[in-house]
Amino acid sequence: MNFNSHSDMVVAIAVALVNVLTPGERRGRPYQVPEGEQRREAVAEAVRARREVTDEEAAELAGYAPDLRVVFEAVAAGDLDHAAGTLNRLLVDTRARPHLSHHDGEPWHVHFHGTDGTFGGDYAASCATGLAIVLGSELHDRLGVCTADRCDRVYVDVSRNGTRRFCSTACQNRVKTAAFRART
Ligand SMILES: [Zn+2]
């Protein structure tokens, strides 16, 4: 799957932000959103920032993460109307809009946010647009929530045949091991 390299990248960032910034369960254990420096570092890694992220910026993205999670949950539940409605609201709230940019020696490329926004708002706008491109395509069912026991981390399925069901190989292996134990 490859929509184009920029939208693939922002969808991957949306997955990383939801998984870092929403509480729940991860690979069989309760998951709490980190605080302070740990949250700043986790957000910087999730968005692949080239500089440090401030508390305010991490907090702003933490504010958007639950809505981004709703999109994955709604698609996984087959409720595309809810996913689309949530994304349309996010696109307005984050003031998402296409904008051609030309920086750091790169060729002209489309950014999904304006030029006068905040760090957190701009990333949220990009994530919402990337997810909207997926949802509006024939590959809309590629957004998912891990189906392993005691895990609710999200993923985007970029496999050729679209058969991914888990957030990670760790969860895939947990399920395989449990199935093996149940048989023996
Ligand atoms: Zn999982």
Side-chain angles (χ1 to χ4, degrees), residues 12-54:
I13 288 174
V15 167
L17 284 172
V18 169
N19 285 340
V20 161
L21 292 174
T22 61
E25 293 180 305
R26 181 177 182 272
R27 302 182 187 181
R29 293 202 176 91
Y31 178 79
Q32 293 297 330
V33 177
E35 292 174 12
E37 184 183 353
Q38 274 186 310
R39 186 175 71 170
R40 292 198 301 273
E41 286 177 359
V43 167
E45 190 181 323
V47 304
R48 308 166 191 193
R50 292 177 202 168
R51 63 161 176 80
E52 299 217 337
V53 171
T54 68

Side-chain angles (χ1 to χ4, degrees), residues 71 75 80 83-85 87 130-140 143:
V71 176
V75 171
L80 295 184
L87 278 174
L131 293 176
I133 289 170
V134 174
L135 200 75
S137 79
E138 59 192 10
L139 297 172
H140 59 261
L143 304 177

Side-chain angles (χ1 to χ4, degrees), residues 25-28 146-153 165-168 170-172 174:
E25 293 180 305
R26 181 177 182 272
R27 302 182 187 181
C146 186
T147 58
D149 223 23
R150 287 175 294 128
C151 185
D152 61 8
R153 301 299 92 182
R165 291 168 52 219
F166 307 108
C167 69
S168 59
C171 275
Q172 186 175 18
R174 283 199 303 123

Side-chain angles (χ1 to χ4, degrees), residues 163-184:
T163 53
R164 182 164 172 178
R165 291 168 52 219
F166 307 108
C167 69
S168 59
T169 49
C171 275
Q172 186 175 18
N173 290 336
R174 283 199 303 123
V175 169
K176 271 190 200 159
T177 306
F180 179 76
R181 281 204 192 113
R183 278 199 306 273
T184 55

Side-chain angles (χ1 to χ4, degrees), residues 9 18 24 28 37 39 44 59-61 81 84 115 124 162 166:
M9 184 182 75
V18 169
E37 184 183 353
R39 186 175 71 170
E60 189 177 19
L61 279 166
D81 292 355
T115 54
F166 307 108

